[in-house]
Amino acid sequence: QAQVEESGGGLVQAGGSLRLSCAASGRTFSSLAIGWFRQAPGKEREFVAAISRSGGSTYLASSAKGRFTISRDNAKNTVYLQMNSLKPEDTAVYYCAASNGPVRTFGPGYEYDYWGQGTQVTVSS
């Protein structure tokens, strides 16, 4: 079992930045692929970003490209999602998820094994 916990959400004005952190414990961190997802009220959960076990490969949803960056520090058991140029449509609960196996770069993330509780990101216009 692994435990996953997000932090760093909050309220920010449009055009601002936030950095979300995802800490995982209970399993060898470098054995886990990590993904970020978000869910806005009334909408399905959607893929935002993912990073491979080594950090050598990263994937971003089209809505995140050019604005978000995902990175990981395996020594700190932490993955980061740097979000710049935030828009009101980025408002959602953001979830971090960890996977023991292969992952897709789209969809709601049913292939992930462990999920955090989520952190609220609100972008005001």
Side-chain angles (χ1 to χ4, degrees):
Q1 288 291 331
Q3 292 74 47
V4 178
E5 184 174 9
E6 310 91 343
S7 61
L11 173 64
V12 64
Q13 289 188 332
S17 299
L18 282 174
R19 188 177 79 160
L20 305 183
S21 298
C22 172
S25 60
R27 290 190 63 88
T28 302
F29 186 71
S30 60
S31 71
L32 300 169
I34 303 292
W36 283 98
F37 295 80
R38 67 186 183 186
Q39 188 166 21
K43 295 187 177 181
E44 291 188 350
R45 188 172 65 204
E46 63 177 3
F47 170 80
V48 176
I51 190 165
S52 64
R53 291 159 179 79
S54 68
S57 296
T58 60
Y59 311 91
L60 293 169
S62 56
S63 60
K65 287 180 180 177
R67 301 188 299 128
F68 295 4
T69 303
I70 186 171
S71 61
R72 69 189 294 161
D73 185 340
N74 284 347
K76 296 183 178 180
N77 290 0
T78 302
V79 167
Y80 304 99
L81 183 68
Q82 178 67 44
M83 303 187 296
N84 299 328
S85 302
L86 283 162
K87 305 175 181 179
E89 51 264 43
D90 293 318
T91 295
V93 177
Y94 283 69
Y95 297 92
C96 176
S99 172
N100 295 309
V103 297
R104 292 189 288 264
T105 57
F106 57 90
Y110 294 135
E111 67 274 22
Y112 284 78
D113 302 291
Y114 313 107
W115 289 82
Q117 294 298 307
T119 185
Q120 177 70 46
V121 171
T122 303
V123 184
S124 63
S125 57

